Amino acid sequence: MPAPPEASAADPRIEYDALRERCPVAWSEARQGSVLRHAEVLRVLHEHETFGNAVSAHPAVPNGYDPPQHTAYRRALDPFFAPPRMQRFEPVCRDIVGAMLQQALQLRELDVVREFALPFAVRVQSAFLGWPPLIQDELLDWLRRSREATRSGDRASTAAVAQEFERLVDRMRAARRESAPDQDISAELMHLQVDGRPLDLRELASVLRNWTVGEVGTIAASIGILVHWLATSPDWQQRLRAQPALLPPAIDEVLRIDGPLAANRRIVRRAVALGGRQFEPGDRLTIHWIAANRDPRAFDEPDSFRIDRDPSPNLLYGAGIHVCPGAPLARLELRVLMEELLARTSAITLAESRPPVRAVHPDAGYAALLVRLV
């Protein structure tokens, strides 16, 4: 059985859909198992004793661990995304959106991905952490070089870029060593204890990499997908202007149809049969979120936008114990962005001068999206 495609010139979802219908679990020597159907993906997510998250020699805190370490990390970190914190951050997020949209509206045409989505994602994540503007510029540059290193497949380059981020975090830690824990979220994180001890530099860097770099890519991809949908759905664009309360379910449904994250990895911890294939301990699996969220066995007419669709099968933020801890923050940022974008414009259309360009695997969404805001 062929492996899942790494890219499609037009829309990679088409090829993922085709492969999912041929088999629930694809296989290749390079990537081993690729899980594409909703039922099998859900099983992998919920059977964490069989399918582990500790897939790397450099695991990500918290979701790159399995219980009991994962449980301890989540217990300590989940309160950072509790409702009271989200309520306090919403005005900050809205101010950032407003300032950036004011600049964007002065342009005749706007590449949403390059000129808005990526800068916004970096700026809003940095603001959540209390990082200054100079760090935001450094983070954008680091993100570019990290992507280049990842695409090159050069492990030495990837390791060198990762060490750069650790040095950045070490500077942050040194600057906040004597500060009060309530100065900002970063300072609070520097004082955080897990199992009675403070986080070491590697753990801090891992958490902050997930909360910045990890979120920047998916938030930026989500913005591109949502703006493209608005530009190609004028009736819904006007309805959502009139009824902004419909935005939360609309956002989740749009991002189910066209997901901002392509895949995550798992490792098999004990012998198991999955999708008609036998796997042994140590085998690797790739969960394909986009394919699973478009599975007609779980979603009737999966390509159709239905705002009243049951949201419970939607795997946009995962499921089970490893469900995305930052989901409340992501939902807040996307909702506020859409509210302000619709409130400050009368029309959002695709620019005629250049067609949209889809992103290439492992990215999702759009690499370039030229729109006009009126």
Side-chain angles (χ1 to χ4, degrees):
M1 179 63 64
E6 295 211 345
S8 168
D11 189 340
R13 296 176 300 167
I14 297 171
E15 295 183 35
Y16 282 123
D17 288 346
L19 182 58
R20 182 195 58 237
E21 296 312 301
R22 292 201 296 271
C23 59
V25 180
W27 174 266
S28 71
E29 292 299 328
R31 280 180 281 170
Q32 299 193 15
S34 292
V35 191
L36 297 115
R37 292 186 186 174
H38 190 277
E40 283 75 18
V41 167
L42 208 58
R43 181 182 171 193
V44 170
L45 298 178
H46 286 296
E47 295 183 16
H48 58 269
E49 293 182 352
T50 301
F51 306 100
N53 265 36
V55 298
S56 171
H58 307 283
V61 178
N63 276 356
Y65 285 85
D66 294 314
Q69 296 98 324
H70 170 264
T71 308
Y73 283 127
R74 287 295 295 256
R75 186 184 300 118
L77 295 170
D78 281 359
F80 285 94
F81 302 99
R85 289 183 185 267
M86 299 299 98
Q87 292 168 8
R88 291 197 297 271
F89 184 63
E90 180 167 340
V92 178
C93 180
R94 199 172 293 278
D95 285 346
I96 293 171
V97 173
M100 292 191 66
L101 282 175
Q102 187 173 10
Q103 295 177 338
L105 286 166
Q106 296 175 9
L107 301 175
R108 179 178 175 83
E109 294 182 342
L110 173 74
D111 185 333
V112 168
V113 176
R114 181 176 59 86
E115 297 178 298
F116 189 91
L118 275 171
F120 167 76
V122 169
R123 188 171 174 184
V124 77
Q125 295 301 118
S126 298
F128 177 70
L129 292 167
W131 289 10
L134 285 177
I135 295 297
Q136 297 170 22
D137 294 339
E138 187 175 348
L139 189 58
L140 260 176
D141 181 62
W142 185 91
L143 178 63
R144 176 186 57 77
R145 288 183 289 107
S146 177
R147 286 182 167 180
E148 290 173 355
T150 300
R151 290 190 181 282
S152 73
D154 184 345
R155 292 187 177 183
S157 297
T158 304
V161 173
Q163 287 175 357
E164 285 183 35
F165 192 85
E166 283 196 9
R167 288 195 291 271
L168 169 64
V169 172
D170 202 22
R171 281 165 37 208
M172 291 283 185
R173 184 171 64 170
R176 287 165 170 76
R177 188 162 286 144
E178 304 301 327
S179 63
D182 60 354
Q183 172 181 316
D184 53 38
I185 284 183
S186 291
E188 187 175 349
L189 188 63
M190 304 301 174
H191 290 83
L192 184 70
Q193 294 202 351
V194 176
D195 288 337
R197 62 168 182 81
L199 298 177
D200 62 27
L201 178 59
R202 189 190 69 157
E203 291 169 316
L204 283 170
S206 178
V207 171
L208 290 169
R209 188 164 51 243
N210 287 338
W211 288 5
T212 53
V213 179
E215 293 297 322
V216 163
T218 52
I219 290 296
S222 296
I223 293 169
I225 292 165
L226 289 166
V227 172
H228 181 270
W229 178 76
L230 286 175
T232 54
S233 307
D235 290 345
W236 269 107
Q237 188 182 140
Q238 291 305 111
R239 182 175 175 185
L240 291 171
R241 280 193 180 90
Q243 298 176 276
L246 295 178
L247 277 169
I251 290 169
D252 280 8
E253 172 68 353
V254 170
L255 297 179
R256 177 199 63 77
I257 296 170
D258 194 352
L261 179 64
N264 282 127
R265 296 181 296 163
R266 294 292 190 273
I267 188 168
V268 177
R269 302 177 69 182
R270 58 189 180 191
V272 63
L274 180 71
R277 296 184 182 275
Q278 185 67 32
F279 293 93
E280 301 300 327
D283 286 345
R284 303 296 175 122
L285 298 176
T286 299
I287 295 172
H288 287 270
W289 303 109
I290 294 173
N293 252 349
R294 295 168 53 81
D295 188 345
R297 298 158 193 80
F299 305 95
D300 184 42
E301 297 183 357
D303 251 326
S304 298
F305 173 85
R306 296 183 180 177
I307 200 165
D308 59 348
R309 196 187 292 273
D310 177 9
S312 58
N314 191 339
L315 299 176
L316 175 60
Y317 295 102
I321 65 169
H322 292 102
V323 66
C324 177
L329 180 61
R331 283 193 163 107
L332 166 68
E333 292 167 354
L334 295 174
R335 173 180 60 79
V336 169
L337 171 63
M338 293 282 276
E339 286 173 354
E340 293 296 320
L341 176 61
L342 290 168
R344 293 167 183 258
T345 59
S346 58
I348 303 166
T349 58
L350 296 180
E352 297 179 357
S353 56
R354 189 174 70 197
V357 179
R358 295 291 308 202
V360 175
H361 184 91
D363 295 332
Y366 292 88
L369 179 64
L370 204 63
V371 300
R372 301 192 70 175
L373 305 178
V374 179

